[in-house]
Amino acid sequence: MTELERIKQQFNTVGAVVVPSVFHADLIEQLLAELEVAIDEDHQLRPDVFDAGMVHNCMTRGKNMLALLDHSALNNYLSELFTPHCIVYAYQSSSLPPKKGNYGTRIHVDCPRFIPDYVSNIGVIIPLNDFTLENGATFYLAGSHRMSELPAEQEFYARAQRLVCSKGDLILFNARLVHAAGVNNTQHTRHALTINLCRPYMRQRFDFPRLMTKQQIESLGENGRKLIGMNVRMPASLDEFYLPADQRLYKPGQE
Ligand SMILES: O=C(O)CCC(=O)C(=O)O
């Protein structure tokens, strides 16, 4: 069995897999620095929102967080485990401050629909610090992506495992996997980027092609543009509807 086959098998059976050492240490440092600036800015602007501390639309908050959408290994795993046509549903962060949990510290799934034997969304977590038992490594229930309902809290914590891993690793999970961020019992904030991807025919949480600047979009390569939804835009006029095939806003052949 190849390493990729093993990863696929674990993704399908367990519902989550950690791929070690996908991101270079320098990149992780830069992502962390950008995220910390974004958290401080948001804290000034919107200190009282229900998910305070979570940065939304990270691709608009730093050039490395933007360029991450073109990362080749990330894109390859998304193609292999999900679909080459997937798009970003949401790109945000998950930080656990010292002695605290966060909005993700509740037992939850990242996709409300249960469709047996069908993956509609995939979750990505990019740890920017090591995930340890002490700093709140994510709890997950192996195989729970096959469950239509959330388990009771007691059952979840009795059987849950932890996503203990290192910064630079890549966590991929079926978005129906039941999971919960832990509580950080250390003195240092634990940061991560989280990306939820959906099928190309589904709606994104934000209208990224409209929300992003022209400059941000033009800095992206083919993969990044596809991920933000540039290949699934709706025509807003008959002129756009009748554009030649190579200029169409909603590219054909995407399942
Ligand atoms: O930060 C974590 O450990 C988990 C994040 C989470 O629950 C989520 O992204 O849905």
Side-chain angles (χ1 to χ4, degrees):
M1 191 188 278
T2 66
E3 183 58 6
L4 180 60
E5 283 165 350
R6 189 197 65 76
I7 288 170
K8 281 187 184 178
Q9 190 186 56
Q10 189 179 335
F11 179 80
N12 290 332
T13 54
V14 176
V17 62
V18 178
V19 187
S21 307
V22 170
F23 303 103
H24 196 278
D26 293 343
L27 174 59
I28 295 297
E29 287 305 310
Q30 286 156 352
L31 293 168
L32 184 59
E34 289 178 356
L35 178 60
E36 283 178 332
V37 170
I39 291 171
D40 286 347
E41 287 170 354
D42 285 2
H43 186 65
Q44 301 297 324
L45 280 173
R46 292 188 179 81
D48 299 323
V49 289
F50 70 95
D51 56 359
M54 176 189 282
V55 176
H56 291 270
N57 307 330
C58 289
M59 72 285 265
T60 66
R61 306 301 297 276
K63 67 177 183 353
N64 290 284
M65 293 198 282
L66 174 62
L68 189 66
L69 295 176
D70 273 315
H71 194 279
S72 58
L74 172 63
N75 275 281
N76 286 343
Y77 285 114
L78 292 175
S79 291
E80 291 287 346
L81 268 57
F82 190 27
T83 159
H85 305 299
C86 65
I87 56 174
V88 171
Y89 170 70
Y91 179 5
Q92 49 207 28
S93 65
S94 178
S95 298
L96 295 172
K99 308 292 169 198
K100 287 195 174 151
N102 68 13
Y103 185 61
T105 309
R106 67 201 196 289
I107 300 169
H108 68 282
V109 292
D110 287 348
C111 161
R113 293 158 298 274
F114 175 67
I115 309 174
D117 299 321
Y118 183 76
V119 184
S120 68
N121 297 64
I122 187 171
V124 167
I125 301 179
I126 299 171
L128 303 182
N129 300 108
D130 294 345
F131 276 23
T132 67
L133 297 181
E134 294 73 33
N135 74 6
T138 321
F139 290 85
Y140 72 100
L141 194 57
S144 58
H145 55 300
R146 299 223 173 74
M147 292 165 49
S148 60
E149 306 291 333
L150 287 181
E153 187 172 306
Q154 201 186 10
E155 184 195 343
F156 177 77
Y157 286 111
R159 293 177 38 220
Q161 299 175 48
R162 309 290 295 272
L163 288 168
V164 173
C165 58
S166 303
K167 59 183 175 184
D169 293 353
L170 169 65
I171 301 170
L172 297 148
F173 61 101
N174 184 315
R176 283 293 309 178
L177 188 79
V178 182
H179 64 285
V183 170
N184 181 357
N185 287 312
T186 73
Q187 301 295 341
H188 306 283
T189 302
R190 190 233 64 184
H191 293 289
L193 295 174
T194 61
I195 312 178
N196 181 304
L197 300 113
C198 63
R199 299 268 173 186
Y201 54 80
M202 290 164 65
R203 189 175 47 74
Q204 298 169 290
R205 176 176 280 175
F206 289 86
D207 188 341
F208 300 118
R210 278 204 304 147
L211 165 155
M212 294 172 65
T213 65
K214 193 164 180 279
Q215 195 185 15
Q216 286 164 347
I217 294 172
E218 284 178 356
S219 78
L220 288 171
E222 208 173 306
N223 280 326
R225 288 182 203 204
K226 177 207 72 177
L227 285 180
I228 62 158
M230 290 298 282
N231 298 347
V232 292
R233 287 167 295 162
M234 282 177 291
S237 67
L238 285 178
D239 284 345
E240 286 188 351
F241 180 73
Y242 287 121
L243 279 171
D246 62 325
Q247 292 168 40
R248 268 178 66 175
L249 302 180
Y250 198 123
K251 303 269 181 264
Q254 304 184 80
E255 297 296 325

